[in-house]
Amino acid sequence: MTKSKTLSLDCLVLKRKPQGETDRIITVLSQELGKFVLIAKGVRRLSSSFSSSLEPGNLIKAHLVITKGLPLLVQAKLIEDAAASKNNLPQIRRLIQILEMFDKLFVEEELPDEVYSLVLSIRRELLSNSTGQVRSSLQQLLTQLGFATETSQTDQSMLEYIQGVVERPM
C-alpha cells in the first residue's frame, strides 16, 4: 500500500489546455517547485466549482496530490483574479505575452524568494496597467536569472530579446 503525498502551494496559472472531455492540463509557477504541469480532473464540467480560478494570470492556492504521473489538483482557491486586465485587447495581449515569457524562462526547480516576488510584482504592475514599470522589472528578472547583461536590449523590444534567449518565436 502506497501513501500519497499532498501539497498546498500558492501558484500563478501560466497556461491551460484541454485533456479529454472534462480534464485540463494546467501549467503553473510556484516558489517551491518552479514551473510545473498538473492535471485538473473534471474541471471542464459545468458543475466544476473551481474552473474559473484556473484562468491564465490568476494567483491560486492549489491543493495537490502527488501521484506517479502528473500531480493531481484536488482543490483550487482563488487568491487574486486577473480578470481586471481582460478589459481590452491590448491588456489581454500583454498579459498573455508576459505569461508566455514566464513559461519559457522558468524550469522545474525552487525559485529564490526575490525571483518569485519579482514575478508577482511584474504581474501586479501589468494588472494595474503600469507598463513602464513592467519593462524595467522584466530586465531585473532577466538579470537575476542570468540572461541579461548591461549592454543588451538597447535596440530591440523585450519580446524580441526573450525570443532570442529562448530561441523560439512567441
Side-chain angles (χ1 to χ4, degrees):
M1 185 165 161
T2 61
K3 257 189 176 176
S4 60
K5 184 178 175 188
T6 60
L7 285 173
S8 290
L9 306 168
D10 289 349
C11 302
L12 173 62
V13 178
L14 298 178
K15 65 182 181 180
R16 60 185 171 44
K17 67 179 184 178
Q19 175 74 24
E21 286 188 27
T22 60
D23 305 338
R24 274 205 175 117
I25 302 289
I26 313 288
T27 304
V28 296
L29 184 69
S30 74
Q31 183 174 357
E32 297 83 0
L33 300 177
K35 181 183 86 168
F36 67 100
V37 176
L38 55 91
I39 189 159
K41 296 276 190 184
V43 76
R44 293 174 58 204
R45 287 190 184 116
L46 291 176
S47 60
S48 174
S49 61
F50 58 89
S51 64
S52 63
S53 61
L54 299 177
E55 292 295 313
N58 286 350
L59 196 58
I60 62 168
K61 172 70 111 181
H63 300 281
L64 308 171
V65 173
I66 306 302
T67 63
K68 289 181 182 178
L70 294 175
L72 179 65
L73 180 70
V74 291
Q75 187 178 13
K77 182 180 178 194
L78 186 63
I79 297 174
E80 197 174 309
D81 194 3
S85 73
K86 298 175 183 172
N87 293 335
N88 60 42
L89 198 54
Q91 283 181 318
I92 294 169
R93 188 174 146 256
R94 283 191 295 268
L95 177 65
I96 296 301
Q97 280 183 338
I98 291 290
L99 294 175
E100 190 174 352
M101 288 176 192
F102 291 160
D103 183 41
K104 302 295 185 213
L105 290 173
F106 291 102
V107 294
E108 283 191 35
E109 65 179 39
E110 184 177 348
L111 299 178
D113 288 344
E114 59 275 0
V115 171
Y116 190 68
S117 296
L118 195 52
V119 165
L120 295 182
S121 168
I122 291 168
R123 178 191 170 274
R124 219 172 298 114
E125 291 163 1
L126 192 67
L127 294 180
S128 67
N129 223 6
S130 307
T131 53
Q133 280 293 117
V134 171
R135 182 175 174 87
S136 64
S137 296
L138 267 174
Q139 287 175 329
Q140 187 180 353
L141 177 66
L142 288 170
T143 302
Q144 286 187 1
L145 292 174
F147 290 118
T149 63
E150 294 163 12
T151 59
S152 65
Q153 308 159 5
T154 53
D155 60 343
Q156 57 185 197
S157 74
M158 188 60 68
L159 179 62
E160 291 168 338
Y161 178 75
I162 292 177
Q163 285 176 349
V165 167
V166 299
E167 299 173 349
R168 294 172 84 182
M170 295 171 125

